[in-house]
Amino acid sequence: MGVSRVVPPLPRDMRETVLPGHAACHGCPITMALKVVGAALGKKVILVVPACCTSVVVGAWPGSGFNGSIIHVAFASAAAVASGVAEALARRGINDVHVVAWAGDGGTADIGMASLSGAAERNHNMIYIMYDNEAYMNTGIQRSSATPPGAWTTTTPLGKKEPKKDVARIMIAHGVPYVATASIGYPHDFYAKLKKASKIKGFKFIQLHAPCPTGWRFDPSLTVKIAKLAVETGLWILYEYENGKITLSGPSKPYIDKSKRKPMIEYFKLQGRFKGITEEDIKAIERYVDEAWEWIKKYM
Amino acid sequence: MGIQVLTGNYTVALAAKMARVEVVAAYPITPQTSIIEKLAEYIDKGELDATMIRVESEHSALAASFGAAMAGARVFTATSSHGLLYMHEWVHWVGRARIPVVMAIVTRAIAPPWNIWPDHSDFVDQRDAAWIMAMGMDNQEIFDLTLQAFKISEDPRVYLPVMIGLEGFILGHTAMPVDVPDQKLVDEWLGPRRQGFVIDGSEPLAHGNLAWPEDTEEMFMDIQDAMENAKKVIKEVDEDYGKVFGRKYGGLISCYRCEDAKYHVVTMGAWSGDAMEAIDYLREQGYPVGLLRIRFMRPFPDEDVYSVLNNSRGVIVFDRAISYGSMGTLYLDLVGNMLKHTRTLPYIRNIVAGIGGVNITYKDFFNLIKSTIDSLEKGEEPPVFHWYHRR
């Protein structure tokens, strides 16, 4: 009777991590992702959170909707503060606590880029998770450098013209021990990557694709479906980078064969933000996606 | 350890070392650079057991310091001028977080035009950021203040960060004899780090999340109370330091030849030495003048200033920074704080000078103080605001 499970459940009761009373929108990928973070890393986590939706999602003082420690910090500084926390913990001989910088695409790809690059270059022991909802959602859906071309935002009313900044690739160029992409549509894959990252010493970077119902203009019940479509159309590629080599992750493996990918329009048509997308935009995105796949194949 | 001849920058580095700082996060900027170079040397040579985070910007320097302090480490950083301005967001963040941190500011003018010389523009610009702010007069005082800063910052009645100002080049790059105490004595006096809370994963703790207006305001009112407490703590620490190390300065202010003075000069920072020299010459000529030196700009020493200046026949406040469109920053602070205690202010003049590193000597002080007193004695009041430019 009922729905049969295709995959085994994640090993912890995920309700322990994100507590009732948080302030997220319906269908928010942040709460889903934080549950996976809690499942993978346990309660001994210090999240360092710059200005972003999560600042609000965890709720107002004196409560906190995340069952772990959080240090809220100024916008550009997640990686810098986490550097300080990581070094102080190391000095104090505390080795069982995970320092996690948890920032959106604005706080990572734009204003936080310098501190991210600095922390990566210095190879501090932390996991940096960029939850990528492809715009400034907390301030009202403004374009970031991680917004894809063709997407409407309140500062690109006719659609963004420039390609999406590839932050994972930038982090690979830093030569850090571990870089991965993940998707909220594939929590087991994200979980496995967090587990692996937690065992590696040094700087780890995970870029998590996180569809936002409010900003992307879709029904809150569709978050996972849309996240999966991004992977199934080949638009978002799940991979890991370690020791100079890229490994394609399970959910993305079939789509190395272009003929297996779903048409991109399936992904676009569910989202209000792509209402104005043109044939020209789609061609540009296809070119961009092809290049991304070619680049990955080169390093596999 | 006895007397060592040290530049102001090396003095600061040595004091931070003797305070046994555990994490140093810093970025180089003139004229502060040799502080962090010296600290890097101490650490790499194994003379100081600390972790140095060589950050990519000043914004990150204080952010990383904050992170390390949150996780329980005694932290030090230093900056100057544009670095401090770039860091300004974090200056506020650390102050409002109530987390003990000590930072040295090697003061310097602000561009444009580019100017590497000293004034107080960068330092006074931080006055509303919930930091305790002190300025020293010479390298000995800078050494003592830096050690005291840790004690004050980590006092449970305070728990606020402290910045120590020293003028760029005038102190920063000038070598003077500094009496350096034994490490053992410093260890005993300073003790281990204390802080209000530690975020190290041992229990779930959230800091800095959204708070409703009334809650936020209460937290800010607590900062005002902590500043009030700090006045007592600073004096206690100064007294105690005097007992242990043989030097004390008078707490929030320091007075020179004030006892029988009828006129008063107010200064802050290194040029106070030149003003004192001028006062000696003026005294020789029969001018009954004394110097009140502001050691702590925050908390502002309102009672102390009032008690010295209330019956003065005339006061001159020398400012090395100006709030454009208004007057000298120290003057504005002083007059406002005097009004807390009296409705009848003496004549208080504001002379802005030495901006952008213009050299002000004891002769300039002598002439300015003398001419002001001469006018007042004749029953004339010179214009209250005067920007003295010595070309």
Side-chain angles (χ1 to χ4, degrees):
Chain A
M1 295 291 283
V3 184
S4 64
R5 281 186 192 276
V6 182
V7 286
L10 294 169
R12 278 170 64 95
D13 181 350
M14 301 208 298
R15 281 171 302 185
E16 283 179 11
T17 309
V18 178
L19 302 169
H22 68 73
C25 302
H26 294 285
C28 177
I30 292 169
T31 47
M32 302 178 194
L34 285 178
K35 285 176 189 174
V36 180
V37 169
L41 305 180
K43 279 187 187 165
K44 291 216 150 192
V45 170
I46 300 173
L47 284 190
V48 180
V49 181
C52 61
C53 282
T54 306
S55 322
V56 179
V57 162
V58 295
W61 185 89
S64 179
F66 177 74
N67 196 7
S69 290
I70 301 190
I71 306 175
H72 293 266
V73 306
F75 210 170
S77 308
V81 174
S83 303
V85 174
E87 291 306 325
L89 292 185
R91 282 199 64 79
R92 294 181 56 202
I94 299 171
N95 303 313
D96 60 343
V97 174
H98 300 289
V99 179
V100 177
W102 169 267
D105 45 303
T108 303
D110 297 342
I111 194 170
M113 197 75 211
S115 65
L116 168 64
S117 177
E121 184 265 333
R122 297 186 302 266
N123 199 30
H124 297 288
N125 189 29
M126 72 174 83
I127 304 174
Y128 191 109
I129 304 171
M130 165 189 178
Y131 68 95
D132 184 4
N133 50 31
E134 302 189 330
Y136 288 81
M137 300 316 184
N138 194 32
T139 33
I141 322 164
Q142 293 82 20
R143 155 215 207 271
S144 83
S145 58
T147 302
W152 162 91
T153 69
T154 50
T155 51
T156 53
L158 299 178
K160 192 194 179 201
K161 300 282 177 265
E162 304 80 11
K164 181 179 170 73
K165 189 192 273 185
D166 192 337
V167 182
R169 222 195 279 191
I170 293 169
M171 298 322 292
I172 289 171
H174 281 73
V176 295
Y178 184 74
V179 175
T181 58
S183 162
I184 198 56
Y186 299 90
H188 290 78
D189 177 69
F190 180 37
Y191 174 89
K193 285 167 177 167
L194 283 165
K195 272 282 178 205
K196 184 184 269 189
S198 72
K199 292 183 180 103
I200 298 169
K201 206 168 154 47
F203 193 92
K204 288 82 62 176
F205 178 84
I206 300 177
Q207 184 171 353
L208 175 74
H209 198 233
C212 166
T214 310
W216 295 15
R217 299 295 195 238
F218 62 78
D219 188 277
S221 67
L222 298 177
T223 307
V224 169
K225 184 184 168 91
I226 285 173
K228 284 189 163 175
L229 270 171
V231 174
E232 290 161 353
T233 54
L235 265 165
W236 185 247
I237 309 166
L238 300 181
Y239 65 84
E240 288 173 293
Y241 163 88
E242 268 181 293
N243 309 317
K245 207 168 163 274
I246 283 176
T247 315
L248 208 52
S249 308
S252 273
K253 271 185 183 156
Y255 308 113
I256 195 165
D257 178 354
K258 199 173 172 182
S259 68
K260 298 238 170 80
R261 295 176 207 161
K262 288 186 179 171
M264 283 181 193
I265 195 71
E266 299 285 309
Y267 178 68
F268 296 139
K269 74 181 182 192
L270 288 175
Q271 303 171 48
R273 66 171 175 158
F274 288 116
K275 217 156 66 181
I277 198 165
T278 61
E279 281 301 316
E280 209 180 315
D281 287 333
I282 294 176
K283 282 211 180 79
I285 293 169
E286 277 171 349
R287 261 202 315 277
Y288 170 78
V289 169
D290 287 345
E291 275 168 23
W293 278 99
E294 285 310 312
W295 177 79
I296 279 174
K297 282 181 202 165
K298 215 160 61 184
Y299 292 97
M300 271 172 62
Chain B
M1 284 169 85
I3 304 288
Q4 294 188 30
V5 178
L6 297 168
T7 64
N9 283 353
Y10 283 3
T11 303
V12 166
L14 179 62
K17 171 181 176 254
M18 294 188 78
R20 294 194 190 276
V21 295
E22 295 161 286
V23 175
V24 176
Y27 186 79
I29 183 170
T30 306
Q32 157 264 36
T33 309
S34 54
I35 295 178
I36 60 166
E37 287 170 353
K38 195 72 193 170
L39 283 164
E41 192 184 313
Y42 285 143
I43 293 168
D44 278 9
K45 282 185 176 168
E47 294 170 29
L48 170 62
D49 178 19
T51 303
M52 186 151 200
I53 309 179
R54 294 152 174 100
V55 283
E56 78 292 338
S57 80
E58 307 279 356
H59 198 266
S60 287
L62 198 50
S65 299
F66 168 82
M70 279 274 166
R74 183 172 280 167
V75 182
F76 175 81
T77 188
T79 188
S80 176
S81 188
H82 282 262
L84 180 56
L85 300 196
Y86 191 47
M87 183 190 271
H88 185 67
E89 181 187 24
W90 268 100
V91 175
H92 275 271
W93 199 286
V94 170
R96 281 146 211 264
R98 305 291 304 274
I99 192 77
V101 168
V102 173
M103 170 159 72
I105 311 295
V106 188
T107 70
R108 187 187 111 188
I110 294 166
W114 279 122
N115 175 310
I116 54 166
W117 293 280
D119 66 25
H120 298 169
S121 309
D122 51 355
F123 184 78
V124 300
D125 194 49
Q126 313 303 315
R127 67 184 178 157
D128 304 328
W131 282 60
I132 290 171
M133 299 170 70
M135 273 197 95
M137 194 181 85
D138 54 33
N139 293 355
Q140 182 68 61
E141 189 178 14
I142 292 302
F143 179 88
D144 298 332
L145 266 176
T146 306
L147 282 186
Q148 289 177 14
F150 288 98
K151 188 103 166 174
I152 296 162
S153 182
E154 295 172 13
D155 189 297
R157 292 166 290 176
V158 179
Y159 285 151
L160 286 169
V162 180
M163 60 174 77
I164 307 294
L166 64 151
E167 260 144 296
F169 302 107
I170 295 176
L171 298 185
H173 285 60
T174 306
M176 301 177 200
V178 177
D179 187 0
V180 180
D182 286 339
Q183 179 70 56
K184 198 168 159 285
L185 209 56
V186 174
D187 289 341
E188 278 168 17
W189 181 75
L190 190 53
R193 177 178 169 85
R194 292 187 288 178
Q195 61 189 88
F197 53 89
V198 181
I199 298 189
D200 60 6
S202 56
E203 55 171 340
L205 206 60
H207 182 276
N209 61 328
L210 182 76
W212 299 113
E214 286 77 4
D215 297 328
T216 304
E217 194 175 44
E218 274 177 27
M219 293 178 203
F220 294 169
M221 288 161 75
D222 284 346
I223 294 176
Q224 185 73 351
D225 290 345
M227 281 285 180
E228 203 55 44
N229 294 342
K231 289 179 185 171
K232 293 190 286 281
V233 173
I234 289 163
K235 286 175 187 172
E236 277 175 30
V237 167
D238 186 43
E239 279 291 321
D240 191 37
Y241 193 88
K243 275 183 206 141
V244 176
F245 300 100
R247 283 180 302 278
K248 62 176 179 175
Y249 296 86
L252 297 154
I253 63 166
S254 176
C255 263
Y256 181 69
R257 304 187 82 161
C258 283
E259 304 76 31
D260 58 341
K262 297 191 170 55
Y263 294 95
H264 294 86
V265 172
V266 179
T267 55
M268 180 170 77
W271 67 352
S272 308
D274 301 293
M276 280 156 70
E277 197 170 348
I279 281 168
D280 286 341
Y281 285 111
L282 285 158
R283 283 278 184 174
E284 279 174 21
Q285 297 193 11
Y287 286 86
V289 58
L291 178 104
L292 186 159
R293 182 164 64 86
I294 303 288
R295 295 184 73 235
F296 284 80
M297 191 184 185
R298 287 291 179 276
F300 194 85
D302 57 297
E303 292 101 340
D304 305 35
V305 166
Y306 165 76
S307 68
V308 176
L309 300 185
N310 187 38
N311 294 316
S312 185
R313 278 193 212 160
V315 180
I316 312 173
V317 181
F318 281 91
D319 256 298
R320 210 159 190 182
I322 179 161
S323 180
Y324 290 101
S326 183
M327 297 176 74
T329 318
L330 194 57
Y331 178 87
L332 296 169
D333 260 13
L334 182 132
V335 170
N337 277 282
M338 286 279 283
L339 286 170
K340 265 172 85 176
H341 301 277
T342 178
R343 286 282 159 267
T344 52
L345 291 177
Y347 168 82
I348 310 180
R349 191 173 202 207
N350 184 203
I351 297 180
V352 171
I355 303 292
V358 169
N359 192 24
I360 300 295
T361 69
Y362 75 93
K363 284 181 191 159
D364 298 299
F365 278 111
F366 179 88
N367 291 333
L368 287 161
I369 298 164
K370 182 175 180 299
S371 66
T372 305
I373 295 176
D374 287 346
S375 297
L376 291 172
E377 286 289 325
K378 275 188 263 170
E380 295 162 9
E381 286 193 356
V384 167
F385 177 75
H386 176 49
W387 189 323
Y388 173 68
H389 179 52
R390 212 196 64 167
R391 166 78 77 185

